[in-house]
Amino acid sequence: MAEDESRTLEVTPTWAVATVTFSLIAVSILIEHVLHLLAKYFNKKRRKPLIKALDRIKSEMMRLGFLSLLLIVCEESVANICIPKSAGKNFLPCKDNESDAEEAAKCADQGKISLISRNGVQQLQFLISILAISHVISSILTFSLGMLKMRNWEAWEEITRTLEYKYSNDPRRFRFVHQTSFGKRHLRFWSGLRLFRLPASFLRQFYGSVSKVDYFILRHGFIMAHFDEETTFDFQKYLRRALEKDFGVVVGVSPWIWVFSMLFIFLSTDEFKYSYWLPLMPLVVLLVVGTKVQGIVTKLCLDRNDKSLVIKGTLVIKPNNNFFWFKTPKLLLHLIHFTLVQNSFQLAFFVWTWHKFGLKSCFHRETSGIVIHIGSGVVVQLLCGYVTLPLYALVTQMGTSMRKAHVFPQEVIRGLQRWQKKAKANIAQRDKTSFKSSTAIGGSLSLGFYGEFDEITVVDEDDEDVSMEIQPDSFHFSHHSQ
C-alpha cells in the first residue's frame, strides 16, 4: 500500500495521466462556460450589481487559486524553514497526538523541526480548496434566501395600489398614534424601556421579522421623504436592487476579514477550548445586528409618538441616521459581511478536519463540539439570508441618504445623460428648439421625476415629436411625425 501511494509519474501509464488531466480541463471549461452564461444573463436583465458580485466571486476564487499555487511552488522551501522543537510544542490543536510527519533532512540534521512539513502544506492546500467551495455555496444560499424572502413583499406592494388600501389610509382621517396598526405593534408598555425593548427586539428576529404593517409604514415614510405622495413608485423593486447591491459587498473578502480569518486559525488551539466558543462568534454578531435593526423600527415609532400623539391620514416616520450606530447604516452591513465570511470559513474548517482526520478526531473529541459547529453554521446561514440581510435592506432606507442609483439602473442614467447632451447641443444650434415638459432636460434632473413612468417630449429641428418614456427598469424612444 505504501509503495502504491509513493508511485511517481515515471511508472504511471500515460493514458491514466491523460485521462485525469482531460477530466480536470473539461470540468474547468464547463465551470467557466457556466459563469460566462450567468454573466451574459445578468447583463441581458440589466442586473449590474449581480454582475459586480459575480466578478467579485471570480476574483476571490482566483486569489485562492493563486494562493494554492504559491503553496505548491513553495512547498519544499517552507518545509526547509527550521524552528526549535520547543517552539513546535506551543499552540497545538492536538497536544496528546504524536507527530509522524517526515521532517526535512536539513532540519533533522540540526535537531530541529520544519515550520510546516510538506504533508502539512499539502493539507493546507486542501483547506484552501474547501474554503473556496464553501464561500461560493454560502454566497449563493444567502442571495437565494434573500430573494425568496422579498418575493413575499411583492403581494404587499400590490396591495398599496388597491382602493381598499387608499381608503384605509384616508388623508382626512384623524387618529391617535397608538391606535394605528404600527402603533399597536410597537407602542407597548415596555417599548420606552431599553431593558425590555432589547429582549423583545431580539425575539422578533425569529417570528414575524417583517410584518405587513412594518413594510407599509417604512415604505410610506421613505416615499414621503424622497418623492411626491401620489407617486406609484415600486418600493419592492427598489429594495430588490438594494439587496443586490448589498450582496455585492458581502460576497467579497476584504483585507480586514482575512485578518480575522487568520486570527481564527491562531486561536484554534487546545489551550483556548476553541470548539465551544469560537464557532458561536458569527452567530452572536449576527444576533446583535438583528436586534439592532429590529430596535430601529421600534424607535421610529417611538420618535413619531413623541412628536405628535395625533396624526392625520397615514402615520409618517422620518428617516434619520441617528438611529444607527455612529450614524452609519453601512456599519451594520460590514458586520453582516464579517459574519457570513467567518461562518463559511468555520464550516470549511470543520469539513476539512472531518475529511482529513475523521469526525471524532482531536479537533472534535466531544459530540457537543460537533453539534455547536454544525448547528451554529446552519443557523447563521439561514438567519442571515432569510431574515437579517433582507431586513437590513429595508430598514437601512430609514437613513437620511437615499440610494439614488437604485431608482434607475446605470443604463438609464447614462441614457439620460446622453439625452441631456443632445438637448443642449440642439439648443445651442437652433434657438427654435423648445421643451414641452415641465422638467427641463437641459437643466438638472430632480427626484420628483421618478415614478412608475414619466414622459418627456422634445421638438427637434425636423418638427418631429421625440418622446422618451422613462421607467425604473428601462427607457424607450419613439418618434411621431407631425
Side-chain angles (χ1 to χ4, degrees), residues 173-387:
R173 184 179 178 185
F174 287 89
R175 286 180 295 176
F176 288 104
V177 174
H178 67 270
Q179 291 179 340
T180 63
S181 300
F182 192 64
K184 291 177 181 178
R185 175 172 167 83
H186 295 282
L187 293 179
R188 305 292 183 89
F189 68 93
W190 42 261
S191 298
L193 301 175
R194 182 181 178 86
L195 181 63
F196 296 102
R197 186 172 65 247
L198 289 179
S201 299
F202 173 81
L203 294 175
R204 270 186 180 156
Q205 299 177 78
F206 305 101
Y207 69 96
S209 58
V210 179
S211 68
K212 186 188 299 184
V213 63
D214 288 347
Y215 179 85
F216 288 156
I217 294 298
L218 295 181
R219 175 188 182 274
H220 185 69
F222 175 83
I223 290 177
M224 292 298 294
H226 303 290
F227 302 98
D228 184 80
E229 185 176 3
E230 300 299 325
T231 184
T232 54
F233 177 70
D234 194 330
F235 186 58
Q236 192 271 343
K237 188 177 292 184
Y238 172 84
L239 289 178
R240 190 176 63 192
R241 292 201 190 98
L243 181 65
E244 292 175 359
K245 182 83 172 182
D246 296 335
F247 175 70
V249 174
V250 300
V251 296
V253 185
S254 56
W256 71 276
I257 294 290
W258 279 115
V259 171
F260 279 98
S261 299
M262 296 307 100
L263 185 62
F264 167 80
I265 294 178
F266 177 76
L267 294 175
S268 300
T269 66
D270 190 63
E271 289 93 339
F272 296 121
K273 304 297 181 183
Y274 74 96
S275 61
Y276 293 99
W277 61 272
L278 201 54
L280 295 176
M281 283 186 60
L283 179 61
V284 171
V285 174
L286 186 65
L287 291 176
V288 170
V289 171
T291 302
K292 177 61 178 179
V293 176
Q294 289 284 354
I296 290 174
V297 181
T298 302
K299 287 182 179 179
L300 287 167
C301 187
L302 291 172
D303 180 68
R304 186 65 183 86
N305 187 56
D306 292 340
K307 293 179 179 178
S308 177
L309 295 176
V310 180
I311 61 168
K312 182 181 179 181
T314 306
L315 188 148
V316 180
I317 57 177
K318 299 293 183 182
N320 196 331
N321 282 346
N322 292 329
F323 295 117
F324 297 87
W325 286 323
F326 305 107
K327 301 180 181 180
T328 308
K330 279 286 186 181
L331 178 60
L332 296 175
L333 183 62
H334 291 314
L335 291 176
I336 294 174
H337 181 198
F338 166 80
T339 297
L340 281 175
V341 175
Q342 290 301 310
N343 188 63
S344 63
F345 186 88
Q346 294 194 44
L347 287 176
F349 187 80
F350 177 78
V351 172
W352 173 71
T353 56
W354 185 357
H355 181 270
K356 283 295 182 181
F357 310 103
L359 183 61
K360 284 296 186 72
S361 64
C362 65
F363 288 94
H364 311 288
R365 287 191 178 92
E366 299 182 9
T367 305
S368 57
I370 299 174
V371 172
I372 291 174
H373 261 90
I374 299 178
S376 63
V378 173
V379 170
V380 167
Q381 187 64 62
L382 296 177
L383 189 64
C384 185
Y386 194 73
V387 177

Side-chain angles (χ1 to χ4, degrees), residues 25-42:
I25 293 175
V27 171
S28 63
I29 292 176
L30 178 62
I31 294 175
E32 182 182 6
H33 185 63
V34 170
L35 293 177
H36 176 72
L37 291 178
L38 197 58
K40 190 176 180 179
Y41 173 78
F42 289 152

Side-chain angles (χ1 to χ4, degrees), residues 422-435 442:
K422 182 180 178 181
K424 286 183 177 181
N426 290 338
I427 291 175
Q429 184 180 2
R430 296 287 300 271
D431 294 332
K432 293 182 180 180
T433 304
S434 61
F435 290 86

